[in-house]
Every structure is written in C-alpha cells, then in structure tokens.
Amino acid sequence: MKKAELIEEVAKKSGLSKSDVDVVIKATIETIMEGVAKGEKVAFIGFGSFELTTRAGRKAKIPG
C-alpha cells in the first residue's frame, strides 16, 4: 500500500478530509523518526516496533 492509498483509506474510515489525514500521517511518521533518532524504542502493540540498530560492516566482492 502506498502513502496515497493509506491516506484515502483512513479518510474514508475516519470521515476526515484527505488533507487532514495527510497532516496526521506526516506528523506521526515524523514523531516516530524523532523518537528513534533519540535512541528510544517506539512500539505499537499489535502492529510493530521501531528502534535504531547498528550492524557490523560487511565485505563486498566486486565481480569481475
């Protein structure tokens, strides 16, 4: 599902305008990103969680 499709579906179910839903979705994503950037774990029970993780670098092979 693309963002535009999500906005349309939420607007239908909530009775809000698409522009209002767009503002809410943008604010939600921005807030999640800010929390993760601060090192916080953002969790929605029954949906999922977001947290910053670090991984060790990998060696790449250049074909040829």
Side-chain angles (χ1 to χ4, degrees), residues 56-64:
R58 299 185 306 172
K59 281 192 173 181
K61 288 186 177 180
I62 299 174

Side-chain angles (χ1 to χ4, degrees), residues 3-60:
K3 182 180 171 190
E5 295 168 330
L6 176 63
I7 290 170
E8 187 172 332
E9 289 300 315
V10 173
K12 283 180 191 175
K13 291 180 180 184
S14 67
L16 298 172
S17 69
K18 287 182 185 180
S19 61
D20 287 342
V21 172
D22 184 41
V23 170
V24 171
I25 289 176
K26 283 180 182 177
T28 302
I29 292 170
E30 185 177 305
T31 303
I32 292 169
M33 290 172 57
E34 288 170 355
V36 170
K38 290 179 189 175
E40 299 172 357
K41 182 176 181 179
V42 180
F44 299 95
I45 296 172
F47 177 72
S49 61
F50 306 87
E51 64 184 316
L52 187 62
T53 59
T54 55
R55 296 182 181 178
R58 299 185 306 172
K59 281 192 173 181

